[in-house]
Amino acid sequence: MKFTDFNQSIWNETSAYYDTCVIPYSGLTGNETPPRVVQLLSGLKERLEWIEVPFKGRVITYPALQYCFEGFSEFTNYLINNLRSVGFKFVILVVAPSVIIKQECAFDLVIDDRNDDSAKCKEEILQLWRKDVSNL
Amino acid sequence: MKSVYSWMDERLDITPLWRDIADHEVPEHVNPAHHFSAFVYCFGGLTFFVTVIQILSGMFLTMYYVPDIINAHSSVDYLQNKVAFGDIVRGMHHWGASLVIVMMFLHTLRVFFTGSYKAPREMNWVIGMLIFMVMLGLGFTGYLLPWDNKAYFATKVGIQIAETAPVIGAYIKEFLQGGPVVGAQTLTRFFAIHVFFLPAVMLALLGGHFFMIRKQGISGPL
Amino acid sequence: MSDGIAKGHDQHTEQSNHKKEMSRRQFLTYTLGATGGFLAAGITIPMIRFAVDPLLEKGEATDFVKVTEVSKLTTTPIEIRFQVNQVDGWVESNPELIAWLRKDEAGNVTALSPVCKHLGCTVNFVSTDNKYECPCHGAQYTNEGKNLKVAPLPLDEYSVKVDNGSVYLGQIIPNHLTSK
């Protein structure tokens, strides 16, 4: 589901089931022409759909991070900590095609060009969730 | 055909009904065959003819049209471009709307310059003026329905003009708009007024108009 | 009897005489009628054609979509993706749908929609357990879609039509297999 699908009463009823948060990241530098931006963002949207559709009942897509910026790892660590304190167990970053994350970051999973395939991406998420079960 | 008619007539005696309506002489001064200039007497009939076309084409248009801000424009676009003869039926209604005003105006001029509004026909002049206003109302409300830019802003301006009326202006605006802005409420409101209320009023007035002209006869020659 | 026939004959010859010399009144009636009819037709025919357009439209979009052959199905469900092109006036949608198809022991074809009845994730068939399992919260369903765990309702079905060895899928309907 998307964050926009929730209101207070839906959240009160179902928050226990949504333990995974997805942050889209466009990673734009400002060098992109408008058609290139369209291409990148539609690629990002496609990746998001690989996750949003099959895992609709467990995953919430949050508002996106736009543009690359200084201090990415510090900021995302801060973000992830806060998200965990809201109750999310897993935080997944979904990156627009051809964007590379060089910095260290604390996401449980990063979907980028390395797992650029719907089946692979699904499998990684399932593995993430399975790991959690085996930890218990 | 004939036998069906006579079968009906035997039982219901319908002949006198239509004879009463149809059988009346056309006075010489109104007949273009005698004086060609008498064609000016046709404008009333032509107005009615175009009105009939408006009613018919309007009825057919509502088969596809949806009075709702999300679908209105797409439904008009669909019926005009995708449905067979859609452009013709919508064209009839669109151009007919202008034509009916033109015809009505010419009819009014004829009545004015032949002095036909004088006693004993003053009442019919008044009814005619009411029909004129209803027609303008139909034009105004119908203009909004395609819900495109032109329609939207024309209505906005129209409502702003109405608002300038002293004392009641604000109420008229509120009544027409149905809400704080020209939007969803205005569209359904205008649709209802355009399709149900004004046509009903118009038909009643037309009935009165025709009844009086039959009763009083057409005005004499100049 | 013979009298009547003779009369009819007489009338007939009378009428054909009339036709030769059409009266002025008749001519005017016919001309007026024809002109009026032409005008009326010019107005009403476009409108009627406009109104009946849905009837004359080529029925390209049927309710059912062909997805596979019966011979390819077994008692183990297989996943099939298909596209439905729905054009409803100016509303057009082109959703890709997933169905899990299976042939039961009696040879009846059934198609289940893999949308979990719990919170809408997509379930998968796990052949080792012979069950549908949901990756999100562990809901489980039998191969007929009956809900075993977590989910409150059985999986929905597609209405299925088998014609000439081909399988056609239609609307999604509530599961009726499990109520038997």
Side-chain angles (χ1 to χ4, degrees), chain A residues 1 14 16-19 53-59 118 122 126 129, chain C residues 79 81 98 115 118-124 134-138 150:
Chain A
M1 300 259 260
T14 59
Y17 298 112
Y18 295 92
D19 65 351
V53 176
F55 304 128
K56 187 174 172 238
R58 191 169 174 180
V59 166
S118 122
K122 237 190 266 179
L126 287 176
W129 285 342
Chain C
E79 184 185 20
R81 283 160 193 272
I98 308 175
V115 177
H118 178 221
L119 287 170
C121 296
T122 307
V123 301
N124 290 303
C134 179
C136 293
H137 309 102
V150 183

mmCIF file of all heavy atoms in Angstrom, chain A residues 1 14 16-19 53-59 118 122 126 129, chain C residues 79 81 98 115 118-124 134-138 150:
data_model
loop_
_atom_site.group_PDB
_atom_site.id
_atom_site.type_symbol
_atom_site.label_atom_id
_atom_site.label_comp_id
_atom_site.label_asym_id
_atom_site.label_seq_id
_atom_site.Cartn_x
_atom_site.Cartn_y
_atom_site.Cartn_z
ATOM 1 N N MET A 1 0.860 -1.197 0.000
ATOM 2 C CA MET A 1 0.000 0.000 0.000
ATOM 3 C C MET A 1 0.885 1.233 0.000
ATOM 4 O O MET A 1 2.061 1.178 0.338
ATOM 5 C CB MET A 1 -0.857 0.014 1.269
ATOM 6 C CG MET A 1 -1.761 -1.184 1.403
ATOM 7 S SD MET A 1 -3.439 -0.842 0.940
ATOM 8 C CE MET A 1 -4.183 -0.610 2.544
ATOM 9 N N THR A 14 -4.750 -1.954 11.415
ATOM 10 C CA THR A 14 -3.886 -2.858 10.659
ATOM 11 C C THR A 14 -2.399 -2.652 10.853
ATOM 12 O O THR A 14 -1.611 -3.363 10.251
ATOM 13 C CB THR A 14 -4.175 -2.719 9.148
ATOM 14 O OG1 THR A 14 -3.930 -1.369 8.779
ATOM 15 C CG2 THR A 14 -5.593 -3.092 8.801
ATOM 16 N N ALA A 16 -0.257 -3.545 12.809
ATOM 17 C CA ALA A 16 0.539 -4.712 13.185
ATOM 18 C C ALA A 16 1.013 -5.495 11.964
ATOM 19 O O ALA A 16 2.047 -6.168 12.002
ATOM 20 C CB ALA A 16 -0.271 -5.631 14.081
ATOM 21 N N TYR A 17 0.268 -5.427 10.865
ATOM 22 C CA TYR A 17 0.605 -6.235 9.698
ATOM 23 C C TYR A 17 1.638 -5.584 8.798
ATOM 24 O O TYR A 17 2.270 -6.235 7.992
ATOM 25 C CB TYR A 17 -0.649 -6.518 8.874
ATOM 26 C CG TYR A 17 -1.675 -7.305 9.639
ATOM 27 C CD1 TYR A 17 -2.890 -6.742 10.006
ATOM 28 C CD2 TYR A 17 -1.412 -8.628 9.996
ATOM 29 C CE1 TYR A 17 -3.825 -7.467 10.704
ATOM 30 C CE2 TYR A 17 -2.343 -9.363 10.701
ATOM 31 C CZ TYR A 17 -3.552 -8.783 11.051
ATOM 32 O OH TYR A 17 -4.467 -9.501 11.738
ATOM 33 N N TYR A 18 1.775 -4.272 8.901
ATOM 34 C CA TYR A 18 2.688 -3.581 7.989
ATOM 35 C C TYR A 18 4.014 -3.346 8.691
ATOM 36 O O TYR A 18 4.169 -2.403 9.437
ATOM 37 C CB TYR A 18 2.062 -2.260 7.523
ATOM 38 C CG TYR A 18 0.834 -2.492 6.699
ATOM 39 C CD1 TYR A 18 -0.430 -2.543 7.272
ATOM 40 C CD2 TYR A 18 0.952 -2.711 5.327
ATOM 41 C CE1 TYR A 18 -1.549 -2.791 6.505
ATOM 42 C CE2 TYR A 18 -0.165 -2.964 4.550
ATOM 43 C CZ TYR A 18 -1.411 -3.004 5.149
ATOM 44 O OH TYR A 18 -2.520 -3.255 4.386
ATOM 45 N N ASP A 19 4.963 -4.248 8.444
ATOM 46 C CA ASP A 19 6.229 -4.127 9.150
ATOM 47 C C ASP A 19 7.359 -3.729 8.223
ATOM 48 O O ASP A 19 8.508 -3.703 8.617
ATOM 49 C CB ASP A 19 6.558 -5.445 9.862
ATOM 50 C CG ASP A 19 6.782 -6.577 8.886
ATOM 51 O OD1 ASP A 19 6.516 -6.386 7.681
ATOM 52 O OD2 ASP A 19 7.209 -7.656 9.324
ATOM 53 N N VAL A 53 2.715 -4.581 -5.584
ATOM 54 C CA VAL A 53 1.591 -5.436 -5.964
ATOM 55 C C VAL A 53 1.612 -6.782 -5.219
ATOM 56 O O VAL A 53 0.656 -7.096 -4.516
ATOM 57 C CB VAL A 53 1.512 -5.614 -7.496
ATOM 58 C CG1 VAL A 53 0.406 -6.587 -7.855
ATOM 59 C CG2 VAL A 53 1.263 -4.263 -8.149
ATOM 60 N N PRO A 54 2.691 -7.549 -5.306
ATOM 61 C CA PRO A 54 2.622 -8.858 -4.632
ATOM 62 C C PRO A 54 2.639 -8.772 -3.100
ATOM 63 O O PRO A 54 2.146 -9.682 -2.442
ATOM 64 C CB PRO A 54 3.845 -9.609 -5.158
ATOM 65 C CG PRO A 54 4.754 -8.568 -5.667
ATOM 66 C CD PRO A 54 3.915 -7.431 -6.112
ATOM 67 N N PHE A 55 3.197 -7.702 -2.557
ATOM 68 C CA PHE A 55 3.305 -7.620 -1.092
ATOM 69 C C PHE A 55 2.441 -6.500 -0.526
ATOM 70 O O PHE A 55 2.791 -5.865 0.468
ATOM 71 C CB PHE A 55 4.769 -7.420 -0.678
ATOM 72 C CG PHE A 55 5.684 -8.484 -1.211
ATOM 73 C CD1 PHE A 55 6.830 -8.159 -1.906
ATOM 74 C CD2 PHE A 55 5.382 -9.828 -1.017
ATOM 75 C CE1 PHE A 55 7.664 -9.147 -2.405
ATOM 76 C CE2 PHE A 55 6.212 -10.822 -1.515
ATOM 77 C CZ PHE A 55 7.362 -10.488 -2.206
ATOM 78 N N LYS A 56 1.322 -6.299 -1.183
ATOM 79 C CA LYS A 56 0.447 -5.175 -0.863
ATOM 80 C C LYS A 56 0.092 -5.092 0.624
ATOM 81 O O LYS A 56 -0.008 -4.006 1.193
ATOM 82 C CB LYS A 56 -0.829 -5.335 -1.689
ATOM 83 C CG LYS A 56 -1.764 -4.182 -1.602
ATOM 84 C CD LYS A 56 -2.913 -4.383 -2.581
ATOM 85 C CE LYS A 56 -3.958 -3.324 -2.364
ATOM 86 N NZ LYS A 56 -5.275 -3.855 -2.060
ATOM 87 N N GLY A 57 -0.085 -6.254 1.251
ATOM 88 C CA GLY A 57 -0.589 -6.271 2.619
ATOM 89 C C GLY A 57 0.482 -6.185 3.689
ATOM 90 O O GLY A 57 0.180 -6.333 4.873
ATOM 91 N N ARG A 58 1.751 -5.994 3.299
ATOM 92 C CA ARG A 58 2.786 -5.973 4.327
ATOM 93 C C ARG A 58 3.752 -4.805 4.146
ATOM 94 O O ARG A 58 4.543 -4.501 5.040
ATOM 95 C CB ARG A 58 3.566 -7.301 4.270
ATOM 96 C CG ARG A 58 4.483 -7.505 5.457
ATOM 97 C CD ARG A 58 5.008 -8.911 5.506
ATOM 98 N NE ARG A 58 6.000 -9.060 6.557
ATOM 99 C CZ ARG A 58 6.635 -10.183 6.835
ATOM 100 N NH1 ARG A 58 6.365 -11.286 6.126
ATOM 101 N NH2 ARG A 58 7.516 -10.239 7.792
ATOM 102 N N VAL A 59 3.674 -4.166 2.991
ATOM 103 C CA VAL A 59 4.655 -3.156 2.627
ATOM 104 C C VAL A 59 3.955 -1.801 2.471
ATOM 105 O O VAL A 59 2.876 -1.728 1.897
ATOM 106 C CB VAL A 59 5.319 -3.570 1.295
ATOM 107 C CG1 VAL A 59 6.086 -2.419 0.696
ATOM 108 C CG2 VAL A 59 6.217 -4.761 1.514
ATOM 109 N N SER A 118 11.984 -8.502 -11.606
ATOM 110 C CA SER A 118 10.876 -8.615 -10.670
ATOM 111 C C SER A 118 10.994 -9.860 -9.785
ATOM 112 O O SER A 118 10.783 -9.803 -8.575
ATOM 113 C CB SER A 118 9.569 -8.566 -11.454
ATOM 114 O OG SER A 118 8.804 -9.694 -11.251
ATOM 115 N N LYS A 122 11.669 -9.893 -5.736
ATOM 116 C CA LYS A 122 10.700 -10.535 -4.843
ATOM 117 C C LYS A 122 11.415 -11.533 -3.929
ATOM 118 O O LYS A 122 11.176 -11.579 -2.720
ATOM 119 C CB LYS A 122 9.676 -11.294 -5.706
ATOM 120 C CG LYS A 122 8.254 -10.847 -5.459
ATOM 121 C CD LYS A 122 7.294 -11.792 -6.133
ATOM 122 C CE LYS A 122 6.897 -11.336 -7.516
ATOM 123 N NZ LYS A 122 5.997 -12.245 -8.197
ATOM 124 N N LEU A 126 11.605 -11.802 0.155
ATOM 125 C CA LEU A 126 11.181 -13.001 0.882
ATOM 126 C C LEU A 126 12.300 -13.494 1.791
ATOM 127 O O LEU A 126 12.078 -13.889 2.938
ATOM 128 C CB LEU A 126 10.777 -14.102 -0.108
ATOM 129 C CG LEU A 126 9.447 -13.846 -0.822
ATOM 130 C CD1 LEU A 126 9.178 -14.941 -1.844
ATOM 131 C CD2 LEU A 126 8.312 -13.764 0.173
ATOM 132 N N TRP A 129 12.552 -11.452 4.897
ATOM 133 C CA TRP A 129 11.519 -11.773 5.863
ATOM 134 C C TRP A 129 11.781 -13.129 6.524
ATOM 135 O O TRP A 129 11.553 -13.312 7.708
ATOM 136 C CB TRP A 129 10.142 -11.798 5.177
ATOM 137 C CG TRP A 129 9.619 -10.422 4.855
ATOM 138 C CD1 TRP A 129 10.048 -9.257 5.391
ATOM 139 C CD2 TRP A 129 8.588 -10.099 3.939
ATOM 140 N NE1 TRP A 129 9.345 -8.205 4.861
ATOM 141 C CE2 TRP A 129 8.431 -8.695 3.970
ATOM 142 C CE3 TRP A 129 7.759 -10.842 3.084
ATOM 143 C CZ2 TRP A 129 7.494 -8.038 3.185
ATOM 144 C CZ3 TRP A 129 6.829 -10.182 2.321
ATOM 145 C CH2 TRP A 129 6.697 -8.772 2.359
ATOM 146 N N GLU C 79 0.466 -21.111 -12.804
ATOM 147 C CA GLU C 79 0.199 -19.672 -12.831
ATOM 148 C C GLU C 79 0.110 -19.191 -14.273
ATOM 149 O O GLU C 79 0.960 -19.523 -15.094
ATOM 150 C CB GLU C 79 1.344 -18.940 -12.125
ATOM 151 C CG GLU C 79 1.122 -17.462 -12.017
ATOM 152 C CD GLU C 79 2.326 -16.739 -11.431
ATOM 153 O OE1 GLU C 79 3.432 -17.300 -11.456
ATOM 154 O OE2 GLU C 79 2.153 -15.618 -10.943
ATOM 155 N N ARG C 81 -0.611 -15.587 -16.567
ATOM 156 C CA ARG C 81 -0.856 -14.149 -16.600
ATOM 157 C C ARG C 81 -1.569 -13.818 -17.895
ATOM 158 O O ARG C 81 -1.221 -14.345 -18.945
ATOM 159 C CB ARG C 81 0.472 -13.381 -16.566
ATOM 160 C CG ARG C 81 1.083 -13.329 -15.206
ATOM 161 C CD ARG C 81 2.560 -13.007 -15.274
ATOM 162 N NE ARG C 81 3.150 -13.266 -13.973
ATOM 163 C CZ ARG C 81 3.206 -12.354 -12.999
ATOM 164 N NH1 ARG C 81 2.740 -11.146 -13.213
ATOM 165 N NH2 ARG C 81 3.730 -12.659 -11.834
ATOM 166 N N ILE C 98 -3.585 -12.225 -12.931
ATOM 167 C CA ILE C 98 -2.955 -13.530 -12.716
ATOM 168 C C ILE C 98 -4.033 -14.508 -12.310
ATOM 169 O O ILE C 98 -4.942 -14.176 -11.548
ATOM 170 C CB ILE C 98 -1.895 -13.455 -11.604
ATOM 171 C CG1 ILE C 98 -0.914 -12.316 -11.872
ATOM 172 C CG2 ILE C 98 -1.153 -14.773 -11.476
ATOM 173 C CD1 ILE C 98 0.083 -12.101 -10.767
ATOM 174 N N VAL C 115 -5.108 -13.178 -5.171
ATOM 175 C CA VAL C 115 -5.074 -12.028 -4.267
ATOM 176 C C VAL C 115 -5.547 -12.489 -2.886
ATOM 177 O O VAL C 115 -6.688 -12.906 -2.715
ATOM 178 C CB VAL C 115 -5.958 -10.890 -4.806
ATOM 179 C CG1 VAL C 115 -5.973 -9.739 -3.826
ATOM 180 C CG2 VAL C 115 -5.448 -10.423 -6.149
ATOM 181 N N HIS C 118 -6.654 -11.679 2.989
ATOM 182 C CA HIS C 118 -6.306 -11.017 4.244
ATOM 183 C C HIS C 118 -6.037 -9.537 3.989
ATOM 184 O O HIS C 118 -6.861 -8.695 4.304
ATOM 185 C CB HIS C 118 -5.085 -11.729 4.859
ATOM 186 C CG HIS C 118 -4.609 -11.111 6.126
ATOM 187 N ND1 HIS C 118 -3.280 -10.943 6.415
ATOM 188 C CD2 HIS C 118 -5.277 -10.612 7.169
ATOM 189 C CE1 HIS C 118 -3.152 -10.370 7.595
ATOM 190 N NE2 HIS C 118 -4.350 -10.159 8.078
ATOM 191 N N LEU C 119 -4.888 -9.234 3.351
ATOM 192 C CA LEU C 119 -4.582 -7.828 3.084
ATOM 193 C C LEU C 119 -4.160 -7.577 1.640
ATOM 194 O O LEU C 119 -3.590 -6.532 1.337
ATOM 195 C CB LEU C 119 -3.491 -7.343 4.044
ATOM 196 C CG LEU C 119 -3.934 -7.131 5.497
ATOM 197 C CD1 LEU C 119 -2.733 -6.897 6.389
ATOM 198 C CD2 LEU C 119 -4.898 -5.966 5.625
ATOM 199 N N GLY C 120 -4.440 -8.528 0.764
ATOM 200 C CA GLY C 120 -4.272 -8.247 -0.652
ATOM 201 C C GLY C 120 -2.912 -8.528 -1.254
ATOM 202 O O GLY C 120 -2.623 -8.076 -2.350
ATOM 203 N N CYS C 121 -2.029 -9.260 -0.551
ATOM 204 C CA CYS C 121 -0.776 -9.663 -1.171
ATOM 205 C C CYS C 121 -1.073 -10.732 -2.224
ATOM 206 O O CYS C 121 -2.191 -11.213 -2.336
ATOM 207 C CB CYS C 121 0.188 -10.264 -0.144
ATOM 208 S SG CYS C 121 0.684 -9.081 1.098
ATOM 209 N N THR C 122 -0.037 -11.114 -2.990
ATOM 210 C CA THR C 122 -0.228 -12.133 -3.998
ATOM 211 C C THR C 122 0.260 -13.475 -3.455
ATOM 212 O O THR C 122 1.424 -13.598 -3.081
ATOM 213 C CB THR C 122 0.557 -11.755 -5.265
ATOM 214 O OG1 THR C 122 0.169 -10.438 -5.634
ATOM 215 C CG2 THR C 122 0.266 -12.709 -6.393
ATOM 216 N N VAL C 123 -0.633 -14.448 -3.433
ATOM 217 C CA VAL C 123 -0.244 -15.752 -2.884
ATOM 218 C C VAL C 123 0.412 -16.591 -3.978
ATOM 219 O O VAL C 123 0.231 -16.336 -5.162
ATOM 220 C CB VAL C 123 -1.453 -16.513 -2.299
ATOM 221 C CG1 VAL C 123 -2.119 -15.708 -1.203
ATOM 222 C CG2 VAL C 123 -2.453 -16.868 -3.380
ATOM 223 N N ASN C 124 1.182 -17.592 -3.547
ATOM 224 C CA ASN C 124 1.821 -18.517 -4.480
ATOM 225 C C ASN C 124 1.418 -19.925 -4.127
ATOM 226 O O ASN C 124 1.130 -20.231 -2.967
ATOM 227 C CB ASN C 124 3.339 -18.407 -4.372
ATOM 228 C CG ASN C 124 3.822 -17.090 -4.921
ATOM 229 O OD1 ASN C 124 3.565 -16.763 -6.066
ATOM 230 N ND2 ASN C 124 4.484 -16.317 -4.079
ATOM 231 N N CYS C 134 0.697 -17.310 1.471
ATOM 232 C CA CYS C 134 0.897 -15.884 1.291
ATOM 233 C C CYS C 134 2.228 -15.501 1.915
ATOM 234 O O CYS C 134 2.509 -15.863 3.055
ATOM 235 C CB CYS C 134 -0.243 -15.105 1.950
ATOM 236 S SG CYS C 134 -0.034 -13.336 1.770
ATOM 237 N N PRO C 135 3.088 -14.781 1.199
ATOM 238 C CA PRO C 135 4.399 -14.435 1.743
ATOM 239 C C PRO C 135 4.337 -13.405 2.864
ATOM 240 O O PRO C 135 5.295 -13.249 3.607
ATOM 241 C CB PRO C 135 5.133 -13.864 0.523
ATOM 242 C CG PRO C 135 4.053 -13.345 -0.362
ATOM 243 C CD PRO C 135 2.886 -14.251 -0.149
ATOM 244 N N CYS C 136 3.241 -12.702 2.979
ATOM 245 C CA CYS C 136 3.215 -11.588 3.924
ATOM 246 C C CYS C 136 2.943 -12.038 5.355
ATOM 247 O O CYS C 136 3.749 -11.806 6.246
ATOM 248 C CB CYS C 136 2.193 -10.562 3.488
ATOM 249 S SG CYS C 136 2.669 -9.751 1.958
ATOM 250 N N HIS C 137 1.800 -12.671 5.567
ATOM 251 C CA HIS C 137 1.458 -13.019 6.946
ATOM 252 C C HIS C 137 1.113 -14.491 7.091
ATOM 253 O O HIS C 137 0.389 -14.881 7.991
ATOM 254 C CB HIS C 137 0.317 -12.140 7.446
ATOM 255 C CG HIS C 137 0.593 -10.682 7.229
ATOM 256 N ND1 HIS C 137 0.033 -9.965 6.215
ATOM 257 C CD2 HIS C 137 1.429 -9.825 7.878
ATOM 258 C CE1 HIS C 137 0.488 -8.717 6.240
ATOM 259 N NE2 HIS C 137 1.345 -8.605 7.234
ATOM 260 N N GLY C 138 1.607 -15.305 6.147
ATOM 261 C CA GLY C 138 1.485 -16.744 6.292
ATOM 262 C C GLY C 138 0.095 -17.313 6.107
ATOM 263 O O GLY C 138 -0.188 -18.401 6.582
ATOM 264 N N VAL C 150 -5.116 -17.616 8.909
ATOM 265 C CA VAL C 150 -5.020 -16.153 8.843
ATOM 266 C C VAL C 150 -6.154 -15.506 8.028
ATOM 267 O O VAL C 150 -6.863 -14.640 8.518
ATOM 268 C CB VAL C 150 -3.645 -15.689 8.289
ATOM 269 C CG1 VAL C 150 -3.560 -14.174 8.302
ATOM 270 C CG2 VAL C 150 -2.525 -16.296 9.119
#
